[in-house]
Amino acid sequence: MPARHRRLAVLAATAALVAIPATVGCSAVDKALDCARTAESIADSVTGLQQAVENASNDPTQADESLDRIDKNLDDIGAKTDNADVSRAVDDLNKAVDNVRTSIKNGDEAPDVSPVVDSAGELTKVCTS
């Protein structure tokens, strides 16, 4: 192989090796950004849940809709992460949402949503750190 071709091959191999960590790094950054964006959506849904619980006498379906939005966002984060801390925060928030949903189903017109708020805060913290 001529020297020129060898240099081109070495340069191409070096470029490929440099690109691999950059791609992995971007993937990790993309996942973190997705997590942070979804956590922000969850925070908005939690605010909606708080308002829906306060206005339950006007429209009891609003709380269910807010819980459904939180569930969807949690599914999105759960599918995109392999981070143990994020997974744990998602599980905790899922349990809190299930408890509120059960309370509503059992006739509680003013369920305690503070565990949902706390868990959403923890998820946001984990996603943005």
Side-chain angles (χ1 to χ4, degrees):
M1 183 186 303
R4 181 169 196 263
H5 289 282
R6 237 181 314 212
R7 272 185 274 148
L8 286 176
V10 168
L11 285 174
T14 302
L17 289 174
V18 169
I20 290 171
T23 303
V24 171
C26 288
S27 177
V29 169
D30 288 343
K31 281 185 178 183
L33 287 173
D34 285 343
C35 183
R37 285 185 201 114
T38 307
E40 184 179 338
S41 294
I42 289 172
D44 291 343
S45 297
V46 169
T47 300
L49 174 62
Q50 289 173 309
Q51 292 170 348
V53 167
E54 289 173 13
N55 300 323
S57 60
N58 297 336
D59 186 359
T61 63
Q62 283 183 350
D64 279 334
E65 291 169 4
S66 294
L67 292 168
D68 290 344
R69 279 191 296 277
I70 294 169
D71 280 338
K72 182 192 175 311
N73 287 323
L74 289 173
D75 289 345
D76 289 347
I77 290 177
K80 293 177 183 175
T81 191
D82 55 359
N83 181 297
D85 292 333
V86 172
S87 294
R88 196 169 18 262
V90 166
D91 289 345
D92 290 346
L93 186 49
N94 267 323
K95 288 175 191 169
V97 166
D98 289 345
N99 289 339
V100 170
R101 195 179 297 278
T102 299
S103 293
I104 291 171
K105 191 185 299 185
N106 290 337
D108 188 350
E109 293 181 13
D112 180 14
V113 297
S114 62
V116 174
V117 173
D118 294 343
S119 295
E122 183 62 27
L123 178 60
T124 300
K125 186 171 82 175
V126 169
C127 282
T128 56
S129 61

